[in-house]
Amino acid sequence: MAAGETQLYAKVSNKLKGHSTPSLLDPLLALGFPAHTALHSHCKDPSLDDPIPQEYALFLCPTGPLLERLQEFWRESKRQCAKNRAHEVFPHVTLCDFFTCEDQKVESLYEALKRAGDQVLASFPATVPLVLHSSVSYLGFFISDGPADVIREFATAFATEAAVLADCSVKPCTKQLHLTLAHKFYPHHQRTLEQLARAVPPGHPCQWTAALFSRDMRFVHYQTLRALFQYKPQNGDELTLSPGDYIFVDPSEQEEASEGWVLGTSHRTGCRGFLPENYTERASEADTWVKHRTYTFSLATDTSSRKDAEASGRRNGDFHSPTPRSISSLQALQATLARRSVLVVRHGERVDQVFGKYWLRQCSTTDGKYYRPDLNFPRQLPRRSSGLSDFERDPPLSSCGTFQARLAGNSLLDSGVRITAVFSSPALRCVQTANHILEELKLEKTLKIRIEPGIFEWTKWEAGRTGPNFMTQAELREAGFSVDLDYRPAFPLSSLLPAESYVQYTDRCAHSMERVLGACPQEPGVILIVSHGSALDVCTRPLLGLPPRDCGDFVQLVRKIPALGMCFCEENEEGKWELASPPARTLTHGANSAFNWRSWIPGS
């Protein structure tokens, strides 16, 4: 905390000493909480009596058609190029640095906003020209000097009025005014982001609004999580979660937490405790900010310093919630973004990964029949002409592996991607994963799986002097898998070399990827490749024009790739391939060890 803020904290603390309990409720009511909610939710808040001033900032925010197009850019840039710093906040132009204000003087801050707006209302530009600027780490619209001067005059007037009326020290922005589109992104995403930005016409109609926001100064440098599921504490040091709750997490304090757990403070209740991390997702920094007052610059109607009809005192959800869009506008954006892409996916959890290489002994009867000793063994095994023995070197998915594959397919369905072709390693676990993904996409009857031996695992990692005996295409069809019997592999199964060298392996995959792409039409859509963890590297580097990794680095990298790990490449306008954010979310879960009920028998 800065020295000035510390002094203000002490100043407020002295003034609030001796206040009755109702006065401590006022800050919560000022933040927009209903009285019954504030009293109930924060009844156990250890900081309820602490005099904590809020930090405030003034932003110039677009509305109307321009905001709609900016929100489309926000969503598409996050989907295609992953999250960057710009996604932490809504579209805005910063007018001043964050500053503190005592709770009892906030009403005076509102009056300062009204007076400053009234001073420049007549001279505020009817349109604000925006010029696109791009660099290797920044993309945004700059505001031209003439209109920028008027906007800076407004920010300076607000700072002056805030000092007089609310005893606040406000530092107005004096630098180049800008509306950030992307910041601190990966350099190879620059071209894609620029293409997305060009789909946002800066001349779109827009009514600009000055909005006053606040945030809790205690959690400025914390990470913000959003609860996805309800959680009831099992121990006294755990935190209650309700869907939609925001949790503030200090990264420097997580040494106290066990694996899979985090220590955080609830935004809703103010309570602090441990919570399961997989019950949450990362939220944006501005999700917990509070919107107070707005001043809309309009020469036709002066709506200055009025409470926003729907959002005053509430969180700034209006910037993040989906807004109505015309279908033609969305289709135009999608047409601009249409391109060919490749999604390489690792198979789900294999049964021997859980139960060891002798897993067949645990599930085979003396007469060679399969049974299910644990729920994570598959419910049944497909029929093979050679019996169960070939499953030892060509194992199926576990039950959890099936669940993982279906989750990934469901996520792809939600993303709206269009799958145009599916290729799979001949390994049973890969074919099963591809099939489950297609079932979730409702494509199992329209798309056939093309079995491609050229993308099989590095054979050096396979035990024995010969490769595994894979299921034949006839056996796969009999088991219910929709495989393409007419597909001619780029690399025949008979050409797989046992214990091949690393160079032979990378050459095989590069050759196979070239043939795979050649077998697919030059139309927009996603080519799905289901293979092994190593394929995420060796099947994508040739597309990107990169040489194979050093073998040692490759081995270390592959060890870290989890089940259903994904790598996504897109073809740009110049026909070159670039890495992009996968269209499906990552899958994270904890281990679940075996349980023996006999351990509870006395004396055992």
Side-chain angles (χ1 to χ4, degrees):
M1 188 181 297
E5 294 170 352
T6 304
Q7 293 172 5
L8 180 56
Y9 193 102
K11 180 179 178 182
V12 176
S13 178
N14 292 330
K15 289 186 177 183
L16 288 183
K17 284 182 178 178
H19 276 203
S20 60
T21 299
S23 68
L24 298 178
L25 180 61
D26 293 341
L28 293 175
L29 299 178
L31 295 181
F33 290 96
H36 68 280
T37 302
L39 287 171
H40 175 73
S41 298
H42 287 262
C43 62
K44 295 182 180 180
D45 187 346
S47 66
L48 189 59
D49 293 333
D50 291 347
I52 304 168
Q54 296 292 299
E55 284 189 324
Y56 293 81
L58 186 64
F59 302 106
L60 188 65
C61 304
T63 64
L66 177 59
L67 176 60
E68 293 179 11
R69 298 307 294 268
L70 288 170
Q71 288 174 325
E72 287 180 358
F73 173 87
W74 247 245
R75 285 185 288 270
E76 285 300 321
S77 61
K78 186 176 180 179
R79 184 183 71 83
Q80 295 195 44
C81 303
K83 190 174 183 180
N84 61 67
R85 281 292 300 167
H87 292 117
E88 294 291 340
V89 190
F90 43 82
H92 71 280
V93 178
T94 301
L95 298 183
C96 70
D97 295 344
F98 272 95
F99 61 93
T100 53
C101 181
E102 300 176 40
D103 292 330
Q104 62 269 32
K105 293 185 177 180
V106 173
E107 288 293 336
S108 299
L109 204 58
Y110 302 158
E111 178 63 22
L113 174 60
K114 178 183 185 305
R115 292 189 183 184
D118 290 344
Q119 291 179 33
V120 301
L121 180 60
S123 59
F124 195 86
T127 59
V128 178
L130 302 175
V131 180
L132 186 64
H133 173 79
S134 177
S135 69
V136 292
S137 62
Y138 176 84
L139 181 71
F141 289 121
F142 281 5
I143 298 179
S144 302
D145 288 343
D149 290 340
V150 178
I151 296 171
R152 278 192 286 263
E153 179 185 344
F154 165 68
T156 301
F158 171 75
T160 302
E161 296 291 346
V164 173
L165 299 176
D167 192 24
C168 295
S169 178
V170 180
K171 182 181 178 182
C173 181
T174 58
K175 299 180 180 179
Q176 170 71 58
L177 294 181
H178 57 273
L179 193 157
T180 298
L181 297 175
H183 182 44
K184 292 186 177 180
F185 47 84
Y186 292 111
H188 63 268
H189 286 156
Q190 182 179 357
R191 184 184 297 275
T192 301
L193 290 169
E194 288 176 352
Q195 181 181 357
L196 289 170
R198 294 191 190 100
V200 182
H204 251 41
C206 176
Q207 193 172 59
W208 292 89
T209 297
L212 187 66
F213 284 84
S214 71
R215 66 183 184 185
D216 193 322
M217 63 187 300
R218 296 172 298 171
F219 305 114
V220 170
H221 300 296
Y222 284 46
Q223 292 179 353
T224 306
L225 304 180
R226 181 189 297 108
L228 298 173
F229 313 105
Q230 184 177 15
Y231 179 75
K232 295 182 178 180
Q234 307 298 311
N235 298 290
D237 60 352
E238 295 175 5
L239 205 57
T240 299
L241 296 180
S242 296
D245 280 359
Y246 290 101
I247 312 297
F248 297 113
V249 174
D250 184 353
S252 65
E253 295 180 343
Q254 299 314 306
E255 292 182 358
E256 304 177 38
S258 303
E259 184 178 357
W261 291 74
V262 293
L263 179 62
T265 302
S266 171
H267 174 258
R268 179 172 60 87
T269 66
C271 295
R272 176 180 165 90
F274 294 97
L275 60 140
E277 189 174 13
N278 61 351
Y279 276 52
T280 66
E281 66 177 358
R282 282 292 298 271
S284 298
E285 175 186 341
D287 284 347
T288 57
W289 292 3
V290 175
K291 184 179 181 182
H292 292 266
R293 292 291 189 273
T294 61
Y295 186 105
T296 301
F297 293 98
S298 172
L299 297 177
T301 305
D302 180 10
T303 56
S304 60
S305 192
R306 58 180 174 80
K307 289 187 177 180
D308 187 280
E310 298 179 351
S312 176
R314 300 186 309 177
R315 295 175 185 83
N316 56 322
D318 54 333
F319 287 104
H320 291 273
S321 59
T323 59
R325 304 179 300 216
S326 68
I327 295 177
S328 60
S329 172
L330 181 59
Q331 288 177 338
L333 179 63
Q334 290 175 338
T336 302
L337 304 173
R339 65 189 70 190
R340 193 167 61 149
S341 52
V342 171
L343 178 63
V344 184
V345 181
R346 188 194 176 194
H347 57 76
E349 180 185 83
R350 45 193 282 181
V351 69
D352 61 330
Q353 181 182 342
V354 183
F355 299 104
K357 65 179 181 179
Y358 300 118
W359 65 276
L360 268 177
R361 300 180 185 179
Q362 304 173 45
C363 60
S364 304
T365 62
T366 54
D367 57 350
K369 294 183 179 180
Y370 173 78
Y371 74 100
R372 193 184 192 188
D374 185 281
L375 290 178
N376 204 19
F377 276 82
R379 183 182 298 273
Q380 60 187 15
L381 294 178
R383 191 187 69 82
R384 300 178 87 145
S385 59
S386 57
L388 295 180
S389 60
D390 280 344
F391 284 113
E392 184 169 344
R393 295 184 58 195
D394 185 25
L397 294 177
S398 65
S399 297
C400 285
T402 296
F403 179 65
Q404 291 169 336
R406 290 193 176 280
L407 280 178
N410 186 260
S411 182
L412 288 172
L413 179 66
D414 289 341
S415 74
V417 298
R418 175 174 174 262
I419 306 295
T420 57
V422 184
F423 295 83
S424 172
S425 158
L428 175 59
R429 55 193 180 274
C430 297
V431 179
Q432 289 177 313
T433 300
N435 189 69
H436 292 314
I437 290 176
L438 287 179
E439 288 178 342
E440 292 301 312
L441 289 167
K442 317 300 182 188
L443 295 175
E444 72 277 11
K445 294 182 179 179
T446 56
L447 278 183
K448 294 183 179 181
I449 303 171
R450 304 177 186 181
I451 306 300
E452 179 50 68
I455 57 175
F456 178 60
E457 184 66 276
W458 187 9
T459 59
K460 180 180 178 179
W461 288 342
E462 292 294 317
R465 296 183 177 180
T466 60
N469 290 323
F470 301 114
M471 292 181 65
T472 66
Q473 293 198 359
E475 289 173 335
L476 291 173
R477 289 294 293 268
E478 182 183 347
F481 300 112
S482 179
V483 296
D484 188 348
L485 300 181
D486 297 325
Y487 174 66
R488 296 184 60 182
F491 202 91
L493 185 60
S494 58
S495 299
L496 279 179
L497 299 175
E500 65 191 335
S501 68
Y502 179 60
V503 173
Q504 289 173 325
Y505 170 53
T506 56
D507 286 348
R508 163 166 62 88
C509 290
H511 170 73
S512 299
M513 285 302 299
E514 183 180 355
R515 293 286 300 276
V516 162
L517 292 179
C520 297
Q522 294 284 336
E523 61 177 312
V526 178
I527 301 168
L528 176 63
I529 295 176
V530 183
S531 185
H532 310 265
S534 56
L536 271 67
D537 186 68
V538 296
C539 288
T540 58
R541 289 182 73 85
L543 297 182
L544 301 172
L546 299 174
R549 292 182 191 272
D550 173 79
C551 184
D553 294 339
F554 165 78
V555 172
Q556 293 299 319
L557 175 70
V558 171
R559 287 176 178 173
K560 301 175 183 178
I561 298 175
L564 272 300
M566 298 184 185
C567 199
F568 190 55
C569 296
E570 288 182 328
E571 193 175 27
N572 62 27
E573 294 176 344
E574 299 175 356
K576 295 182 179 180
W577 292 86
E578 300 173 338
L579 279 177
S581 177
R585 294 183 179 181
T586 57
L587 173 63
T588 307
H589 56 76
N592 195 51
S593 59
F595 175 76
N596 187 352
W597 64 271
R598 291 185 175 84
S599 301
W600 265 248
I601 300 176
S604 62

